[in-house]
Amino acid sequence: MKYINATKVLPEKLIVEIQKYIQGETLYIPKQETEYSKWGSLSGGRQMLDRRNAAIKNSFAGGKSIEQLANEYYLSTETIKKIVYSHKR
């Protein structure tokens, strides 16, 4: 997050209006929700987890038990259950 002086980017009328509410303080203006990237979409983390979860589902469908998968993937049995019983594709 970088600091930008409001006088360099905002019209004077808008600055005067904002000064009615806050003066001499740092004000954070968040991005619009449409500008946010989903978690892991830039780093590839989301795709990695999706591949891991698909492998877990396939192993479960192939006969591995919840406990075996928990030990193999170092996850709790509850987490494995959430993965194998979810209907997301």
Side-chain angles (χ1 to χ4, degrees):
M1 180 170 52
K2 60 184 177 178
Y3 171 84
I4 298 174
N5 190 319
T7 59
K8 293 185 179 187
V9 294
L10 299 176
E12 188 176 339
K13 281 183 159 183
L14 182 55
I15 293 172
V16 170
E17 188 63 29
I18 292 170
Q19 285 173 331
K20 291 178 184 177
Y21 301 93
I22 188 170
Q23 292 184 39
E25 300 287 332
T26 302
L27 178 65
Y28 173 73
I29 301 173
K31 292 180 182 180
Q32 292 182 334
E33 284 190 37
T34 56
E35 297 297 315
Y36 283 108
S37 299
K38 293 193 177 214
W39 177 89
S41 64
L42 297 177
S43 67
R46 178 77 264 157
Q47 293 86 357
M48 183 187 71
L49 287 179
D50 289 343
R51 285 192 301 272
R52 181 205 67 187
N53 292 352
I56 290 171
K57 284 183 175 190
N58 288 337
S59 294
F60 182 72
K64 282 197 178 179
S65 71
I66 298 287
E67 292 78 18
Q68 287 173 319
L69 292 168
N71 288 332
E72 183 178 335
Y73 287 93
Y74 303 99
L75 296 171
S76 70
T77 56
E78 291 304 312
T79 299
I80 297 293
K81 287 178 186 177
K82 287 177 185 176
I83 292 168
V84 299
Y85 296 129
S86 73
H87 297 289
K88 293 180 185 175
R89 283 284 164 187

